Amino acid sequence: MVATNTSRATLPPDAAGPRAGHPGRRGLSPQTEGMLALLVTVSIWAAFALSARALSGSSLLPADAALLRFGVPLVVLFPALWRRRRAIAAVRPGPAVKIICGAGVPFFLAAMHGGALTSAAFVGSIVPGMVPLFVSVIMIRRGHGAPRGTQAAGLALIAAGVAALVWRYVVPVDTDVLAGAGTLLVASGLWALYTVGLREVDLDPVGSIGLLCLPSFAVIGIMVLTGVLPTGIAHAAGGDIALFLVVQGLGVGLCAGLLYAFAIRRLGAERSAVFGSLSPVAVVLLAVPLLGETPTLAVLVGVPLITAGVVLANRRPRPEVPADA
């Protein structure tokens, strides 16, 4: 689940959508390459939701998972980040804070804690699903017009889907699940802040990863060294370390951002966003064999509503054509 900076200032001319290959091109078409990149990205997003739920049953603590999440990309991308150090340092404080808080330590800990109290279906649906609604609220507060038409209908479906997910835990009250769902809503709001912040910086995907991971790794490292957050990585099972290193560090931290940006260059932002809305469905399907979760009626109703809502919310209105055109 990774958003990337895809402003036209940093994208090649084909970023707006697919382009036809030239006659001498061999191998896969740009559309096929983009779809393959999206398929891997959606799988990684689903793995993030599954790992958030699985963390509560592993030998790792949240701080350990965070160290892997933010530390691995820094190690792998160090040479490239060093070349971009001036561009990263030149980012204005406002957008930098949005990115660092929106997808850094506060978001990560909120997503992990919410996942421990709920289920993978909740993480995979609420966190990415509510982002369009929160982004719309931010845009309205900035003076932009309220969504209309299919976008407004999509946001309404998202809200209805989340309500369907949590309704059965309201009567009778299940405080743990409701607290977890509330924490996941906070995580989604932070991710929306991150998404808005990315639109305000002129960094390529690698630079954006560096801007996020460097201060986040420093913060989580200080919290571990000072005892604010406990760590158990020294005594953790090797299999758990390997799993979170691959899923969180290499997958979410590195590959998802780069692959999603690549897919947008091949397919365009709208088609990529719509395909990405399949992530909640993938989480529900994978949680059955991997975590032993059985989809409840609330999940079977809420997840499709959220998925349909995200598809509609990401649709852009077609430009009006003059009558004399």
Side-chain angles (χ1 to χ4, degrees), residues 112-193:
M112 294 297 113
H113 181 65
L117 294 176
T118 56
S119 67
F122 272 63
V123 180
S125 302
I126 293 178
V127 176
M130 286 293 291
V131 169
L133 198 152
F134 283 123
V135 170
S136 295
V137 171
I138 295 173
M139 292 296 102
I140 291 173
R141 289 182 59 87
R142 289 185 169 187
H144 296 266
R148 294 182 294 179
T150 56
Q151 290 181 326
L155 297 179
L157 284 177
I158 291 171
V162 173
L165 280 177
V166 303
W167 181 254
R168 63 172 294 213
Y169 302 101
V170 176
V171 182
V173 175
D174 188 322
T175 55
D176 284 345
V177 173
L178 291 179
T183 306
L184 293 176
L185 286 174
V186 172
S188 183
L190 288 170
W191 192 267
L193 196 66

Side-chain angles (χ1 to χ4, degrees), residues 88-286:
I88 295 174
V91 174
R92 291 178 292 112
V97 169
K98 293 175 185 176
I99 291 172
I100 296 167
C101 291
V105 175
F107 165 80
F108 187 86
L109 295 180
M112 294 297 113
H113 181 65
L117 294 176
T118 56
S119 67
F122 272 63
V123 180
S125 302
I126 293 178
V127 176
M130 286 293 291
V131 169
L133 198 152
F134 283 123
V135 170
S136 295
V137 171
I138 295 173
M139 292 296 102
I140 291 173
R141 289 182 59 87
R142 289 185 169 187
H144 296 266
R148 294 182 294 179
T150 56
Q151 290 181 326
L155 297 179
L157 284 177
I158 291 171
V162 173
L165 280 177
V166 303
W167 181 254
R168 63 172 294 213
Y169 302 101
V170 176
V171 182
V173 175
D174 188 322
T175 55
D176 284 345
V177 173
L178 291 179
T183 306
L184 293 176
L185 286 174
V186 172
S188 183
L190 288 170
W191 192 267
L193 196 66
Y194 169 63
T195 302
V196 173
L198 281 177
R199 298 176 181 178
E200 300 173 353
V201 300
D202 189 20
L203 291 174
D204 64 1
V206 173
S208 298
I209 291 174
L211 176 62
L212 167 65
C213 290
L214 183 58
S216 298
F217 183 77
V219 168
I220 203 71
I222 292 172
M223 295 177 74
V224 167
L225 291 175
T226 56
V228 175
L229 288 178
T231 177
I233 196 168
H235 307 288
D240 290 341
I241 295 176
L243 174 64
F244 278 85
L245 186 149
V246 172
V247 173
Q248 292 287 352
L250 295 176
V252 178
L254 181 63
C255 295
L258 299 179
L259 287 173
Y260 192 59
F262 176 82
I264 289 177
R265 284 168 166 81
R266 291 294 186 263
L267 301 176
E270 182 177 340
R271 291 176 64 187
S272 298
V274 170
F275 192 91
S277 66
L278 297 176
S279 176
V281 178
V283 171
V284 172
L285 295 176
L286 291 172

